[in-house]
């Protein structure tokens, strides 16, 4: 009877080992796999800052990273940042020329500090003489919005 008992145990052990290999093992959830597919729809982050130092203020937004969509512009990044922070802003837009001009950020209005005062932006250290809604951004770009009192002379434009 001991021989039969030993063979029985051996048989059950072989069945258990085979069953273990036949059942698929659970794989841990890997969030990177999801992130890879999301990257196809979005670019990585750009850095945005908004300064009113020329009028004695502080940064409205110190340099902060924002994730952006594939066709983002300087304007859409600014709009997204201000909306996320719950800050007020105003702008004018001309359908005719497709030009957009930011007239106020966080209550700081163009023209409030002289006829040449207003908001200007630079992209990667260079002031752009085009509408913010026409300038595309790419991964790693640095966008700086600065308030000027004299048409950009005081901010190095």
């Amino acid at each position: 009877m001991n021989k039969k008992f030993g063979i029985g145990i051996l048989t059950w052990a072989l069945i258990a080992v085979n069953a273990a290999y036949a059942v698929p093992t659970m794989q841990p959830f890997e969030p990177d796999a999801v992130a890879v597919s999301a990257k196809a729809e979005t670019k990585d982050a750009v850095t945005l800052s908004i300064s009113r130092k020329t009028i004695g203020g502080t940064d409205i937004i110190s340099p902060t990273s924002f994730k952006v969509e594939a066709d983002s512009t300087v304007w859409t990044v600014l709009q997204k940042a201000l909306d996320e922070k719950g800050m007020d802003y105003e702008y004018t837009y001309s359908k005719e020329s497709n030009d957009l001009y930011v007239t106020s950020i966080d209550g700081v209005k163009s023209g409030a500090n002289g006829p040449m005062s207003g908001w200007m932006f630079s992209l990667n250290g260079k002031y752009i003489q085009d509408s913010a809604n026409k300038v595309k951004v790419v991964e790693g770009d640095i966008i700086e919005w600065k308030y000027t009192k004299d048409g950009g002379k005081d901010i190095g434009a």
Side-chain angles (χ1 to χ4, degrees), residues 50-75:
I50 306 171
S51 174
R52 59 178 161 211
K53 291 180 181 176
T54 56
I55 55 172
T58 58
D59 286 341
I60 293 173
I61 297 178
S62 52
T64 305
S65 242
F66 290 92
K67 281 209 171 263
V68 292
E69 299 301 316
D71 290 330
S72 292
T73 63
V74 170
W75 165 243

PDB file of all heavy atoms in Angstrom, residues 50-75:
ATOM      1  N   ILE A  50       5.247  84.087 -16.805  1.00  0.00           N
ATOM      2  CA  ILE A  50       4.588  85.376 -17.048  1.00  0.00           C
ATOM      3  C   ILE A  50       5.094  86.342 -15.983  1.00  0.00           C
ATOM      4  O   ILE A  50       4.953  86.085 -14.789  1.00  0.00           O
ATOM      5  CB  ILE A  50       3.049  85.261 -16.960  1.00  0.00           C
ATOM      6  CG1 ILE A  50       2.536  84.166 -17.902  1.00  0.00           C
ATOM      7  CG2 ILE A  50       2.397  86.602 -17.261  1.00  0.00           C
ATOM      8  CD1 ILE A  50       1.058  83.848 -17.719  1.00  0.00           C
ATOM      9  N   SER A  51       5.676  87.469 -16.434  1.00  0.00           N
ATOM     10  CA  SER A  51       6.294  88.418 -15.505  1.00  0.00           C
ATOM     11  C   SER A  51       5.719  89.826 -15.671  1.00  0.00           C
ATOM     12  O   SER A  51       5.508  90.297 -16.781  1.00  0.00           O
ATOM     13  CB  SER A  51       7.803  88.463 -15.753  1.00  0.00           C
ATOM     14  OG  SER A  51       8.392  89.473 -14.973  1.00  0.00           O
ATOM     15  N   ARG A  52       5.520  90.477 -14.540  1.00  0.00           N
ATOM     16  CA  ARG A  52       5.115  91.895 -14.515  1.00  0.00           C
ATOM     17  C   ARG A  52       6.113  92.716 -13.712  1.00  0.00           C
ATOM     18  O   ARG A  52       5.778  93.718 -13.088  1.00  0.00           O
ATOM     19  CB  ARG A  52       3.702  92.028 -13.955  1.00  0.00           C
ATOM     20  CG  ARG A  52       3.556  91.472 -12.561  1.00  0.00           C
ATOM     21  CD  ARG A  52       2.170  91.650 -12.006  1.00  0.00           C
ATOM     22  NE  ARG A  52       1.997  90.718 -10.902  1.00  0.00           N
ATOM     23  CZ  ARG A  52       0.856  90.174 -10.570  1.00  0.00           C
ATOM     24  NH1 ARG A  52      -0.232  90.467 -11.236  1.00  0.00           N
ATOM     25  NH2 ARG A  52       0.781  89.351  -9.552  1.00  0.00           N
ATOM     26  N   LYS A  53       7.361  92.290 -13.718  1.00  0.00           N
ATOM     27  CA  LYS A  53       8.406  92.933 -12.915  1.00  0.00           C
ATOM     28  C   LYS A  53       8.666  94.371 -13.325  1.00  0.00           C
ATOM     29  O   LYS A  53       9.108  95.179 -12.521  1.00  0.00           O
ATOM     30  CB  LYS A  53       9.697  92.115 -12.970  1.00  0.00           C
ATOM     31  CG  LYS A  53       9.567  90.791 -12.248  1.00  0.00           C
ATOM     32  CD  LYS A  53      10.847  89.977 -12.305  1.00  0.00           C
ATOM     33  CE  LYS A  53      10.638  88.662 -11.579  1.00  0.00           C
ATOM     34  NZ  LYS A  53      11.809  87.792 -11.674  1.00  0.00           N
ATOM     35  N   THR A  54       8.399  94.739 -14.573  1.00  0.00           N
ATOM     36  CA  THR A  54       8.650  96.108 -15.037  1.00  0.00           C
ATOM     37  C   THR A  54       7.759  97.127 -14.334  1.00  0.00           C
ATOM     38  O   THR A  54       8.059  98.310 -14.346  1.00  0.00           O
ATOM     39  CB  THR A  54       8.437  96.227 -16.562  1.00  0.00           C
ATOM     40  OG1 THR A  54       7.122  95.789 -16.872  1.00  0.00           O
ATOM     41  CG2 THR A  54       9.473  95.420 -17.312  1.00  0.00           C
ATOM     42  N   ILE A  55       6.685  96.677 -13.734  1.00  0.00           N
ATOM     43  CA  ILE A  55       5.797  97.601 -13.015  1.00  0.00           C
ATOM     44  C   ILE A  55       5.843  97.323 -11.508  1.00  0.00           C
ATOM     45  O   ILE A  55       4.907  97.641 -10.776  1.00  0.00           O
ATOM     46  CB  ILE A  55       4.347  97.549 -13.549  1.00  0.00           C
ATOM     47  CG1 ILE A  55       3.777  96.129 -13.512  1.00  0.00           C
ATOM     48  CG2 ILE A  55       4.272  98.134 -14.957  1.00  0.00           C
ATOM     49  CD1 ILE A  55       2.295  96.045 -13.830  1.00  0.00           C
ATOM     50  N   GLY A  56       6.944  96.734 -11.067  1.00  0.00           N
ATOM     51  CA  GLY A  56       7.141  96.506  -9.645  1.00  0.00           C
ATOM     52  C   GLY A  56       6.447  95.269  -9.090  1.00  0.00           C
ATOM     53  O   GLY A  56       6.425  95.064  -7.891  1.00  0.00           O
ATOM     54  N   GLY A  57       5.920  94.459  -9.961  1.00  0.00           N
ATOM     55  CA  GLY A  57       5.239  93.250  -9.503  1.00  0.00           C
ATOM     56  C   GLY A  57       6.171  92.048  -9.496  1.00  0.00           C
ATOM     57  O   GLY A  57       7.373  92.160  -9.721  1.00  0.00           O
ATOM     58  N   THR A  58       5.585  90.905  -9.242  1.00  0.00           N
ATOM     59  CA  THR A  58       6.329  89.645  -9.237  1.00  0.00           C
ATOM     60  C   THR A  58       5.879  88.816 -10.438  1.00  0.00           C
ATOM     61  O   THR A  58       5.063  89.264 -11.247  1.00  0.00           O
ATOM     62  CB  THR A  58       6.035  88.856  -7.948  1.00  0.00           C
ATOM     63  OG1 THR A  58       4.626  88.629  -7.870  1.00  0.00           O
ATOM     64  CG2 THR A  58       6.492  89.617  -6.716  1.00  0.00           C
ATOM     65  N   ASP A  59       6.410  87.631 -10.522  1.00  0.00           N
ATOM     66  CA  ASP A  59       5.960  86.727 -11.578  1.00  0.00           C
ATOM     67  C   ASP A  59       4.507  86.339 -11.328  1.00  0.00           C
ATOM     68  O   ASP A  59       4.124  86.013 -10.208  1.00  0.00           O
ATOM     69  CB  ASP A  59       6.801  85.446 -11.600  1.00  0.00           C
ATOM     70  CG  ASP A  59       8.187  85.670 -12.183  1.00  0.00           C
ATOM     71  OD1 ASP A  59       8.384  86.679 -12.875  1.00  0.00           O
ATOM     72  OD2 ASP A  59       9.059  84.820 -11.937  1.00  0.00           O
ATOM     73  N   ILE A  60       3.715  86.385 -12.370  1.00  0.00           N
ATOM     74  CA  ILE A  60       2.338  85.888 -12.280  1.00  0.00           C
ATOM     75  C   ILE A  60       2.391  84.373 -12.288  1.00  0.00           C
ATOM     76  O   ILE A  60       1.721  83.702 -11.503  1.00  0.00           O
ATOM     77  CB  ILE A  60       1.490  86.442 -13.446  1.00  0.00           C
ATOM     78  CG1 ILE A  60       1.341  87.956 -13.289  1.00  0.00           C
ATOM     79  CG2 ILE A  60       0.136  85.749 -13.503  1.00  0.00           C
ATOM     80  CD1 ILE A  60       0.676  88.648 -14.460  1.00  0.00           C
ATOM     81  N   ILE A  61       3.222  83.829 -13.168  1.00  0.00           N
ATOM     82  CA  ILE A  61       3.528  82.399 -13.179  1.00  0.00           C
ATOM     83  C   ILE A  61       5.037  82.293 -13.342  1.00  0.00           C
ATOM     84  O   ILE A  61       5.589  82.735 -14.350  1.00  0.00           O
ATOM     85  CB  ILE A  61       2.813  81.652 -14.333  1.00  0.00           C
ATOM     86  CG1 ILE A  61       1.299  81.712 -14.180  1.00  0.00           C
ATOM     87  CG2 ILE A  61       3.280  80.194 -14.391  1.00  0.00           C
ATOM     88  CD1 ILE A  61       0.525  81.034 -15.303  1.00  0.00           C
ATOM     89  N   SER A  62       5.713  81.757 -12.335  1.00  0.00           N
ATOM     90  CA  SER A  62       7.146  81.518 -12.478  1.00  0.00           C
ATOM     91  C   SER A  62       7.320  80.337 -13.434  1.00  0.00           C
ATOM     92  O   SER A  62       6.371  79.610 -13.689  1.00  0.00           O
ATOM     93  CB  SER A  62       7.781  81.271 -11.116  1.00  0.00           C
ATOM     94  OG  SER A  62       7.091  80.269 -10.429  1.00  0.00           O
ATOM     95  N   PRO A  63       8.528  80.140 -13.969  1.00  0.00           N
ATOM     96  CA  PRO A  63       8.698  79.089 -14.978  1.00  0.00           C
ATOM     97  C   PRO A  63       8.073  77.751 -14.535  1.00  0.00           C
ATOM     98  O   PRO A  63       8.435  77.188 -13.514  1.00  0.00           O
ATOM     99  CB  PRO A  63      10.220  78.978 -15.122  1.00  0.00           C
ATOM    100  CG  PRO A  63      10.703  80.358 -14.784  1.00  0.00           C
ATOM    101  CD  PRO A  63       9.785  80.830 -13.686  1.00  0.00           C
ATOM    102  N   THR A  64       7.105  77.311 -15.340  1.00  0.00           N
ATOM    103  CA  THR A  64       6.331  76.102 -15.037  1.00  0.00           C
ATOM    104  C   THR A  64       6.180  75.276 -16.304  1.00  0.00           C
ATOM    105  O   THR A  64       5.969  75.817 -17.377  1.00  0.00           O
ATOM    106  CB  THR A  64       4.928  76.492 -14.505  1.00  0.00           C
ATOM    107  OG1 THR A  64       5.076  77.362 -13.382  1.00  0.00           O
ATOM    108  CG2 THR A  64       4.134  75.270 -14.096  1.00  0.00           C
ATOM    109  N   SER A  65       6.252  73.972 -16.142  1.00  0.00           N
ATOM    110  CA  SER A  65       6.091  73.043 -17.258  1.00  0.00           C
ATOM    111  C   SER A  65       4.618  72.767 -17.519  1.00  0.00           C
ATOM    112  O   SER A  65       3.864  72.542 -16.577  1.00  0.00           O
ATOM    113  CB  SER A  65       6.769  71.730 -16.902  1.00  0.00           C
ATOM    114  OG  SER A  65       7.790  71.458 -17.778  1.00  0.00           O
ATOM    115  N   PHE A  66       4.233  72.786 -18.781  1.00  0.00           N
ATOM    116  CA  PHE A  66       2.867  72.468 -19.176  1.00  0.00           C
ATOM    117  C   PHE A  66       2.905  71.483 -20.333  1.00  0.00           C
ATOM    118  O   PHE A  66       3.618  71.708 -21.306  1.00  0.00           O
ATOM    119  CB  PHE A  66       2.106  73.731 -19.614  1.00  0.00           C
ATOM    120  CG  PHE A  66       1.791  74.665 -18.496  1.00  0.00           C
ATOM    121  CD1 PHE A  66       2.654  75.700 -18.176  1.00  0.00           C
ATOM    122  CD2 PHE A  66       0.633  74.501 -17.746  1.00  0.00           C
ATOM    123  CE1 PHE A  66       2.382  76.554 -17.134  1.00  0.00           C
ATOM    124  CE2 PHE A  66       0.349  75.353 -16.706  1.00  0.00           C
ATOM    125  CZ  PHE A  66       1.223  76.385 -16.390  1.00  0.00           C
ATOM    126  N   LYS A  67       2.132  70.409 -20.227  1.00  0.00           N
ATOM    127  CA  LYS A  67       1.999  69.470 -21.343  1.00  0.00           C
ATOM    128  C   LYS A  67       1.124  70.120 -22.396  1.00  0.00           C
ATOM    129  O   LYS A  67       0.185  70.830 -22.068  1.00  0.00           O
ATOM    130  CB  LYS A  67       1.378  68.154 -20.879  1.00  0.00           C
ATOM    131  CG  LYS A  67       2.357  67.256 -20.195  1.00  0.00           C
ATOM    132  CD  LYS A  67       1.964  65.822 -20.407  1.00  0.00           C
ATOM    133  CE  LYS A  67       3.032  64.907 -19.928  1.00  0.00           C
ATOM    134  NZ  LYS A  67       3.909  64.451 -20.971  1.00  0.00           N
ATOM    135  N   VAL A  68       1.450  69.877 -23.647  1.00  0.00           N
ATOM    136  CA  VAL A  68       0.728  70.517 -24.735  1.00  0.00           C
ATOM    137  C   VAL A  68       0.291  69.505 -25.776  1.00  0.00           C
ATOM    138  O   VAL A  68       0.868  68.441 -25.905  1.00  0.00           O
ATOM    139  CB  VAL A  68       1.583  71.612 -25.397  1.00  0.00           C
ATOM    140  CG1 VAL A  68       1.796  72.777 -24.451  1.00  0.00           C
ATOM    141  CG2 VAL A  68       2.910  71.070 -25.874  1.00  0.00           C
ATOM    142  N   GLU A  69      -0.730  69.870 -26.521  1.00  0.00           N
ATOM    143  CA  GLU A  69      -1.230  69.040 -27.623  1.00  0.00           C
ATOM    144  C   GLU A  69      -0.325  69.206 -28.842  1.00  0.00           C
ATOM    145  O   GLU A  69       0.470  70.133 -28.924  1.00  0.00           O
ATOM    146  CB  GLU A  69      -2.664  69.446 -27.969  1.00  0.00           C
ATOM    147  CG  GLU A  69      -3.656  69.269 -26.825  1.00  0.00           C
ATOM    148  CD  GLU A  69      -3.757  67.847 -26.329  1.00  0.00           C
ATOM    149  OE1 GLU A  69      -3.815  66.922 -27.167  1.00  0.00           O
ATOM    150  OE2 GLU A  69      -3.758  67.641 -25.110  1.00  0.00           O
ATOM    151  N   ALA A  70      -0.504  68.343 -29.802  1.00  0.00           N
ATOM    152  CA  ALA A  70       0.367  68.299 -30.971  1.00  0.00           C
ATOM    153  C   ALA A  70       0.406  69.601 -31.779  1.00  0.00           C
ATOM    154  O   ALA A  70       1.439  69.958 -32.302  1.00  0.00           O
ATOM    155  CB  ALA A  70      -0.037  67.138 -31.873  1.00  0.00           C
ATOM    156  N   ASP A  71      -0.692  70.322 -31.902  1.00  0.00           N
ATOM    157  CA  ASP A  71      -0.715  71.554 -32.703  1.00  0.00           C
ATOM    158  C   ASP A  71      -0.762  72.809 -31.842  1.00  0.00           C
ATOM    159  O   ASP A  71      -1.312  73.824 -32.250  1.00  0.00           O
ATOM    160  CB  ASP A  71      -1.918  71.539 -33.656  1.00  0.00           C
ATOM    161  CG  ASP A  71      -1.746  70.518 -34.769  1.00  0.00           C
ATOM    162  OD1 ASP A  71      -0.594  70.255 -35.148  1.00  0.00           O
ATOM    163  OD2 ASP A  71      -2.758  69.979 -35.250  1.00  0.00           O
ATOM    164  N   SER A  72      -0.174  72.773 -30.677  1.00  0.00           N
ATOM    165  CA  SER A  72      -0.241  73.913 -29.755  1.00  0.00           C
ATOM    166  C   SER A  72       0.527  75.114 -30.277  1.00  0.00           C
ATOM    167  O   SER A  72       1.525  74.986 -30.986  1.00  0.00           O
ATOM    168  CB  SER A  72       0.307  73.519 -28.387  1.00  0.00           C
ATOM    169  OG  SER A  72      -0.542  72.596 -27.766  1.00  0.00           O
ATOM    170  N   THR A  73       0.027  76.281 -29.879  1.00  0.00           N
ATOM    171  CA  THR A  73       0.669  77.549 -30.204  1.00  0.00           C
ATOM    172  C   THR A  73       1.026  78.256 -28.896  1.00  0.00           C
ATOM    173  O   THR A  73       0.613  77.834 -27.814  1.00  0.00           O
ATOM    174  CB  THR A  73      -0.276  78.455 -31.013  1.00  0.00           C
ATOM    175  OG1 THR A  73      -1.415  78.771 -30.197  1.00  0.00           O
ATOM    176  CG2 THR A  73      -0.722  77.799 -32.314  1.00  0.00           C
ATOM    177  N   VAL A  74       1.766  79.339 -29.012  1.00  0.00           N
ATOM    178  CA  VAL A  74       2.085  80.142 -27.831  1.00  0.00           C
ATOM    179  C   VAL A  74       0.785  80.564 -27.141  1.00  0.00           C
ATOM    180  O   VAL A  74       0.678  80.522 -25.913  1.00  0.00           O
ATOM    181  CB  VAL A  74       2.934  81.373 -28.228  1.00  0.00           C
ATOM    182  CG1 VAL A  74       3.070  82.349 -27.072  1.00  0.00           C
ATOM    183  CG2 VAL A  74       4.309  80.929 -28.727  1.00  0.00           C
ATOM    184  N   TRP A  75      -0.232  80.919 -27.912  1.00  0.00           N
ATOM    185  CA  TRP A  75      -1.518  81.333 -27.363  1.00  0.00           C
ATOM    186  C   TRP A  75      -2.216  80.197 -26.616  1.00  0.00           C
ATOM    187  O   TRP A  75      -2.699  80.390 -25.503  1.00  0.00           O
ATOM    188  CB  TRP A  75      -2.420  81.881 -28.460  1.00  0.00           C
ATOM    189  CG  TRP A  75      -3.859  81.988 -28.049  1.00  0.00           C
ATOM    190  CD1 TRP A  75      -4.912  81.324 -28.600  1.00  0.00           C
ATOM    191  CD2 TRP A  75      -4.407  82.778 -26.996  1.00  0.00           C
ATOM    192  NE1 TRP A  75      -6.072  81.643 -27.947  1.00  0.00           N
ATOM    193  CE2 TRP A  75      -5.794  82.545 -26.961  1.00  0.00           C
ATOM    194  CE3 TRP A  75      -3.876  83.655 -26.061  1.00  0.00           C
ATOM    195  CZ2 TRP A  75      -6.645  83.154 -26.045  1.00  0.00           C
ATOM    196  CZ3 TRP A  75      -4.719  84.270 -25.147  1.00  0.00           C
ATOM    197  CH2 TRP A  75      -6.083  84.019 -25.148  1.00  0.00           C
TER     198      TRP A  75
END
